[in-house]
Amino acid sequence: MGESFRLFNHHHFLTTFLIIIAMLKLVHTTTTTTTTTTTTNTEFVKSSCTFTTYPRLCFSSLSTHASLIQTSPKLMAHAALNITLASAKVTSAMMVRLSNSRLKPKEVSAMRDCVEELGDTLEELRKSIGEMCQLSGSNYEVYISDIQTWVSAALTDVNTCTDGFEGEDMDGKVKVLVRGRILVIAHLTSNALALINHFASIHG
């Protein structure tokens, strides 16, 4: 009886030990696979950003979304548009607040003109994102052409935004703040357009 009990315990221990080893191997394999996939996705984002004018900004803004982008040029362009839209929204809201603060009449006028330009930019980016979701084989060329046109227009609108802040009579701090924020949106929009054009060249 005692011998049988010891054999049973030994067998049970051995079985448990083998199960634990198998589980550890599975965890290691899964972790290794996940790490490899993450590295591949991040490297894809980095290499895709070389097609843009501002690759460092491209990578810093998109690398955190690598797991969603994976290795898809379409998802890369889509993510770039969404990030640009989000940034433009924040800047537009900031400028609305500034236009209601104690500024010179000329500064208020320039601020409101800029908000209007950004409103056009937001609309063009939203339409582009909507079209990206609708891309299909039969309507691909029409949709991608629309997207390229709208994002190009958005870039023009953003660049136009700073025109009203030229001149010596504009407050230096306001000018620097506005131009700094607008410059980021312009660069993000430029990068998004470059990624869209890259996607179009691959698909076409």
Side-chain angles (χ1 to χ4, degrees):
M1 177 73 177
E3 184 66 26
S4 297
F5 184 73
R6 282 196 297 274
L7 287 172
F8 173 78
N9 275 345
H10 177 73
H11 177 72
H12 181 69
F13 171 78
L14 183 61
T15 302
T16 303
F17 179 73
L18 291 173
I19 290 172
I20 291 172
I21 292 296
M23 288 176 67
L24 287 173
K25 284 184 177 179
L26 179 61
V27 169
H28 176 71
T29 302
T30 303
T31 303
T32 303
T33 302
T34 301
T35 303
T36 302
T37 301
T38 301
T39 302
T40 301
N41 294 342
T42 303
E43 285 301 317
F44 172 77
V45 171
K46 189 174 183 179
S47 64
S48 296
C49 283
T50 61
F51 296 101
T52 68
T53 307
Y54 310 99
R56 291 178 67 179
L57 175 63
C58 174
F59 184 72
S60 65
S61 63
L62 288 167
S63 58
T64 54
H65 303 278
S67 61
L68 296 175
I69 294 168
Q70 299 175 24
T71 56
S72 167
K74 179 183 177 181
L75 291 177
M76 179 89 171
H78 201 166
L81 284 172
N82 277 298
I83 288 168
T84 305
L85 177 63
S87 180
K89 281 181 179 179
V90 171
T91 298
S92 180
M94 178 203 75
M95 294 185 68
V96 169
R97 288 193 300 272
L98 279 175
S99 67
N100 293 323
S101 61
R102 300 174 68 179
L103 298 173
K104 299 174 185 176
K106 187 173 181 180
E107 291 168 348
V108 172
S109 176
M111 199 75 70
R112 288 176 178 169
D113 287 344
C114 195
V115 168
E116 187 175 337
E117 294 290 346
L118 281 178
D120 292 338
T121 297
L122 290 172
E123 180 60 25
E124 285 149 357
L125 291 172
R126 286 191 189 99
K127 288 193 292 187
S128 299
I129 291 169
E131 293 283 81
M132 284 292 289
C133 295
Q134 301 295 322
L135 281 177
S136 61
S138 58
N139 296 315
Y140 170 80
E141 290 185 2
V142 174
Y143 284 148
I144 201 69
S145 177
D146 285 345
I147 293 167
Q148 289 169 318
T149 299
W150 286 329
V151 179
S152 294
L155 183 57
T156 300
D157 290 333
V158 171
N159 288 329
T160 302
C161 181
T162 58
D163 291 350
F165 292 90
E166 301 296 334
E168 297 296 325
D169 56 339
M170 300 296 285
D171 183 273
K173 290 181 179 179
V174 173
K175 185 191 295 187
V176 169
L177 175 63
V178 171
R179 296 181 91 170
R181 296 298 291 267
I182 294 301
L183 196 62
V184 171
I185 297 173
H187 289 179
L188 286 172
T189 307
S190 170
N191 283 350
L193 181 59
L195 292 170
I196 289 164
N197 290 338
H198 176 58
F199 165 64
S201 69
I202 294 174
H203 194 280

